[in-house]
C-alpha cells in the first residue's frame, strides 16, 4: 500500500476530488498554505493499493494544470527585510507536487 500526498491549486481541487471519488479512491482533502507564495493551496492524501498508484497519478496529472502567478511586492512589516522582493515576480505554480510514501500499516477502527 502507498500513501500519495499531492499539493494542488485550489482551482483544481473540486474537480480532482470528484474524479478521484468517482474512481473509488479513498481521499482526504486538506486546506494548506504554500511556503513560498504564502497563499492557499489544497493537499490531498490518498491511501491506495500499489497497483492503483499509476491510475491516481494519471487522474491528478489530467485534472491539475500549471498556472503563472504574480507575487506582488509586500513591504516588510516589523523591519525584517530578508524576504522583501521590491518588484512583482511571476512564478509558474504546478500542476501538482506529488509525494508517494510506503505505508507500513493501515488500520481503521
Ligand atoms: P509555494 O511554496 O507557495 O510555491 C509556489 C510556487 O512558487 C512553486 O510552484 C514554485 O514555482 C515557486 N517557488 C517556490 N519556492 C521558490 C523559491 N525559493 N524561489 C523561487 N520560486 C519558488 P511549485 O513548485 O509547483 O509548488 C507548488 C506548491 O507545492 C508549493 O507552494 C508548496 O505548497 C508545495 N511544494 C512544492 N515543493 C514542495 C516540497 N519539496 N515539499 C513540500 N511542499 C512542496
Amino acid at each position: 500500500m502507498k500513501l500519495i500526498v499531492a499539493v494542488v491549486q485550489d482551482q483544481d481541487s473540486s474537480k480532482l476530488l470528484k474524479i478521484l471519488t468517482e474512481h473509488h479512491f479513498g481521499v482526504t482533502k486538506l486546506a494548506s498554505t504554500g511556503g513560498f507564495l504564502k497563499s492557499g493551496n489544497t493537499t490531498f492524501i490518498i491511501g491506495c493499493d500499489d497497483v492503483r498508484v499509476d491510475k491516481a497519478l494519471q487522474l491528478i496529472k489530467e485534472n491539475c494544470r500549471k498556472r503563472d502567478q504574480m507575487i506582488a511586492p509586500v513591504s516588510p512589516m516589523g523591519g525584517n527585510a530578508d524576504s522583501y522582493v521590491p518588484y512583482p515576480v511571476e512564478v509558474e505554480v504546478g500542476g501538482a507536487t506529488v509525494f508517494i510514501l510506503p505505508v507500513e500499516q493501515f488500520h481503521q477502527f
Side-chain angles (χ1 to χ4, degrees):
M1 187 177 200
K2 295 282 191 287
L3 184 70
I4 302 173
V5 179
V7 184
V8 310
Q9 294 186 48
D10 288 345
Q11 295 97 311
D12 296 322
S13 64
S14 301
K15 194 173 50 161
L16 182 60
L17 182 65
K18 184 169 180 284
I19 202 92
L20 286 169
T21 49
E22 279 173 6
H23 283 80
H24 308 291
F25 283 98
V27 183
T28 299
K29 176 174 167 266
L30 306 169
S32 46
T33 303
F36 186 70
L37 294 178
K38 297 176 182 60
S39 63
N41 53 26
T42 301
T43 300
F44 285 89
I45 53 176
I46 307 157
C48 68
D49 290 334
D50 291 20
V51 291
R52 301 202 69 211
V53 168
D54 286 346
K55 183 65 188 177
L57 286 176
Q58 180 201 333
L59 295 174
I60 294 167
K61 200 171 172 182
E62 284 174 358
N63 289 281
C64 299
R65 66 178 180 86
K66 293 180 180 173
R67 294 180 184 86
D68 292 330
Q69 198 163 322
M70 293 298 290
I71 316 174
V74 178
S75 144
M77 302 292 283
N80 182 356
D82 289 350
S83 59
Y84 178 50
V85 181
Y87 44 83
V89 176
E90 190 173 69
V91 292
E92 185 184 71
V93 184
T97 299
V98 183
F99 304 87
I100 300 176
L101 297 82
V103 174
E104 204 165 293
Q105 293 189 25
F106 172 65
H107 301 288
Q108 286 182 306
F109 299 110

